[in-house]
Amino acid sequence: MLRHSVVGAVAVLAASAGVGALAPSAGAAPTVDISVNAGTSLGTVPSSGVGLNLGFGDEHMGDANVTSLMKAAGVRQLRYPGGSGADEYHWKTHTSGDGKGWIPSNTNFDRFMDIAKKVGAQPILTANYGSGTAQEAADWVKYSNVDKGYGVKYWEIGNEVYGNGHYGNGKGWERDDHADKSPREYGKNLVAYSKAMKAVDPTVKIGAVLTTPGGWPDKEKAPGDTADWNNTVLSIAGSSIDFVIVHWYPGGTTTADLLNTPSRIAATTSELRSLIAKYTGSRAASVEIAVTETDAVGSPALTSQAAALFAPDTYMTWFEQGATHVDWWNLHNGTDQAPTTVHGQTDYQDGGILSAGTCAGGKCQPPRDTTFPTYWGIRSLTALAQPGDTIVKSSSGNSSVTVHAVRSSNGGLNVMLTNKSPENAAEVSLSYAGFTPAAGAVTTVSYAKEGTALTTAERGTAVAQTLPPYSITTLQLKPAAGTASADKPTPVPTPTVPTPVVSGTTGTRAQAGIGAPVGQPTPSSTSGGLASTGAGNAVTYSAIGGLLVIAAGSVLVLRGRRRKALHGK
């Protein structure tokens, strides 16, 4: 389901203010020191880690050029049938809600599986919890894995179920027809879904929807609750699940804020691991973390260069922290928001990686399927890593440049460097442990602002590089002649004490869209209320033309159900 942040004139002013606040001072910057320890492993690149959301409202998701673009971007997982739309979707009849709404005929489950096969991606399916039943989900498993032999392994039970109105005085965004909308009821039903689905195919993996640590309504307790959502759900269903699900929409007032958010992922993962250990016991190490939605919504940039830089940094940071799936929202999305300008670049305020070709505010997107910069940000990962490669430890001496490093299966070392300054080039000096790079110019694969493709060139050396402003540069290094490949990297020790979660503004796409602020002390209300974004604590709900309208301080935000022209569901 598509959700937007809308503030009218306030939106433009806020975005402009955010951009202006980000501009760095002119002048030469000091050299940034980059260290790569090729002998310390942070784990392997997941086989289906780089994922993407597809919605059943997207009639063009199976077009030949679209599947080719997904395959070329290294997409290894496809999520279906959508976001909040999954809690209204009935797979057997390929209908949504009361069945009277328009749905393209070419986006049913079998068609989706054909698309996944063409892309070479593993499917992850979201069973309908909001308006479905455990039997409906079990029938889907039977059709998929017994009758058709598709072998779908990963199944989420519902989308953002905590958004069903149990918190926030009954106002929510997620459909949930259960009379009892508490985490206790979801936990009980989660066990029932798991039991019914595994009775059909014991090999399927069942996922539990959790609140994102640090984001609303994490740690909230509504009247009648004895614990928050995550503790309640896992205390009931911990023995019945195989992975946990969070959505990562950190947002940010400025693009600089957005680009700094991956630094919060380690603390978020640590808290999730602590919860998993608490409630799954000896199975804890095998319980996976899946981030089944993420993008840059809630920040000034959705399609422009800042969002492109955010994408690979987010994927790799989650992988470094042990997540097995990260799914970007969305393939095509569409928008009813007029374009903005972010650092001199048009931002179409669209959550898709490909243009939907829609028009808003008297301005139109590029032709349908035109690649947005976010597409190229994700595709940059193909130059860095392949499934099964070893992620190794790396660090940057300045947060203006991020680094990720991977030992490839051929013995080489790939290093991704991102310059987060929109104005200034960055001089970097690199040092290595556990690997001796060959001398001379190195092969680089880069994506810079206004780029329409990845650029491969011989540039710089293994120890010195100049990074263009707002760019992603991956060094593809070969070992020096006559030197042995590095020893097999050793795993980095697992912390024994969880890192505390740092407060921030992390939330779901829905929270960003409906203005459910997160990560700050909450105002008083019956259920604990909505946390403050800093725009003001007053929160007002009203219904206007089928939209949920929430006024948070001076900011008005709208959340609308998918219209025919909008592909995100």
Side-chain angles (χ1 to χ4, degrees):
M1 189 169 293
L2 183 67
R3 300 146 185 143
H4 301 295
S5 295
V6 182
V7 298
V10 178
V12 177
L13 291 172
S16 299
V19 170
L22 196 148
S25 58
T31 299
V32 177
D33 293 324
I34 300 293
S35 299
V36 179
N37 187 343
T40 300
S41 170
L42 301 180
T44 58
V45 178
S47 61
S48 56
V50 178
L52 183 64
N53 276 269
L54 272 60
F56 62 76
D58 183 0
E59 61 188 313
H60 296 290
M61 65 182 183
D63 291 358
N65 62 317
V66 172
T67 57
S68 295
L69 284 168
M70 287 191 283
K71 188 177 182 70
V75 172
R76 302 285 182 162
Q77 177 164 282
L78 292 174
R79 182 178 183 241
Y80 175 90
S84 295
D87 278 318
E88 301 189 15
Y89 180 72
H90 301 285
W91 72 271
K92 193 175 294 185
T93 56
H94 188 51
T95 58
S96 176
D98 61 8
K100 297 178 181 179
W102 175 84
I103 293 182
S105 60
N106 64 344
T107 62
N108 63 20
F109 174 56
D110 287 311
R111 176 64 169 152
F112 165 76
M113 289 304 302
D114 180 60
I115 293 167
K117 182 178 180 180
K118 289 178 179 178
V119 174
Q122 170 181 266
I124 181 169
L125 303 180
T126 306
N128 183 341
Y129 177 81
S131 59
T133 65
Q135 187 59 55
E136 181 181 33
D139 289 345
W140 199 356
V141 174
K142 180 179 183 300
Y143 178 80
S144 169
N145 294 0
V146 178
D147 298 344
K148 301 292 288 189
Y150 289 142
V152 176
K153 180 184 294 186
Y154 290 92
W155 299 76
E156 302 178 62
I157 309 305
N159 185 53
E160 293 166 357
V161 185
Y162 48 78
N164 60 10
H166 181 68
Y167 307 102
N169 293 329
K171 306 296 184 179
W173 61 89
E174 197 75 12
R175 180 170 178 176
D176 184 355
D177 293 347
H178 298 88
D180 183 350
K181 295 176 171 54
S182 68
R184 180 178 57 256
E185 184 70 7
Y186 175 67
K188 289 165 55 181
N189 289 327
L190 179 55
V191 172
Y193 270 72
S194 179
K195 183 177 180 181
M197 296 164 78
K198 291 193 174 192
V200 176
D201 181 355
T203 69
V204 298
K205 294 192 174 186
I206 303 299
V209 173
L210 299 186
T211 62
T212 305
W216 190 87
D218 184 49
K219 298 181 177 63
E220 292 287 308
K221 287 194 289 186
D225 290 348
T226 58
D228 63 13
W229 181 275
N230 289 353
N231 280 280
T232 302
V233 170
L234 291 178
S235 68
I236 296 169
S239 62
S240 299
I241 64 163
D242 304 285
F243 63 104
V244 299
I245 303 149
V246 292
H247 289 174
W248 178 254
Y249 291 105
T253 303
T254 68
T255 51
D257 292 338
L258 172 72
L259 294 177
N260 287 333
T261 58
S263 65
R264 303 206 305 261
I265 291 174
T268 301
T269 309
S270 178
E271 182 165 337
L272 290 171
R273 279 289 165 209
S274 180
L275 286 164
I276 291 168
K278 182 177 181 180
Y279 294 111
T280 65
S282 61
R283 299 175 51 248
S286 66
V287 176
E288 302 174 36
I289 296 173
V291 184
T292 59
E293 288 187 21
T294 188
D295 72 10
V297 70
S299 79
L302 268 76
T303 67
S304 55
Q305 191 72 3
L309 305 187
F310 168 78
D313 194 16
T314 294
Y315 276 98
M316 287 305 302
T317 305
W318 276 108
F319 295 157
E320 288 165 357
Q321 297 301 320
T324 51
H325 315 276
V326 179
D327 303 324
W328 190 264
W329 184 274
N330 193 12
L331 174 61
H332 296 106
N333 200 79
T335 183
D336 55 8
Q337 306 301 290
T340 62
T341 300
V342 180
H343 296 301
Q345 188 176 26
T346 300
D347 191 296
Y348 292 97
Q349 297 295 295
D350 187 320
I353 62 171
L354 303 181
S355 171
T358 56
C359 300
K363 297 182 179 180
C364 296
Q365 294 184 356
R368 193 185 67 238
D369 302 333
T370 299
T371 53
F372 287 135
T374 44
Y375 170 86
W376 294 106
I378 294 171
R379 186 160 168 174
S380 293
L381 291 167
T382 62
L384 174 68
Q386 297 297 317
D389 286 350
T390 301
I391 305 169
V392 296
K393 189 175 181 180
S394 59
S395 63
S396 171
N398 190 307
S399 61
S400 65
V401 175
T402 62
V403 58
H404 301 283
V406 171
R407 285 300 309 271
S408 59
S409 58
N410 64 6
L413 176 68
N414 299 329
V415 181
M416 175 178 280
L417 302 168
T418 300
N419 179 5
K420 298 191 292 184
S421 170
E423 291 186 350
N424 299 324
E427 301 293 335
V428 298
S429 174
L430 299 100
S431 61
Y432 303 87
F435 181 84
T436 304
V442 300
T443 299
T444 64
V445 181
S446 60
Y447 181 69
K449 189 176 177 181
E450 305 296 349
T452 57
L454 302 183
T455 300
T456 302
E458 299 291 315
R459 194 179 78 193
T461 68
V463 296
Q465 288 283 331
T466 301
L467 310 178
Y470 250 24
S471 66
I472 304 165
T473 302
T474 301
L475 283 57
Q476 298 182 327
L477 306 174
K478 297 178 180 179
T483 63
S485 296
D487 294 336
K488 183 178 180 180
T490 56
V492 67
T494 302
T496 55
V497 179
T499 305
V501 173
V502 178
S503 293
T505 56
T506 306
T508 68
R509 177 166 44 90
Q511 292 157 17
I514 70 167
V518 293
Q520 301 290 337
T522 58
S524 59
S525 75
T526 304
S527 66
L530 300 178
S532 167
T533 56
N537 289 340
V539 178
T540 305
Y541 294 92
S542 63
I544 300 178
L547 295 175
L548 179 64
V549 181
I550 299 179
S554 62
V555 180
L556 178 69
V557 287
L558 305 180
R559 169 255 188 188
R561 292 183 180 274
R562 183 194 66 86
R563 299 185 178 93
K564 187 172 181 179
L566 305 178
H567 300 287
K569 186 65 177 169

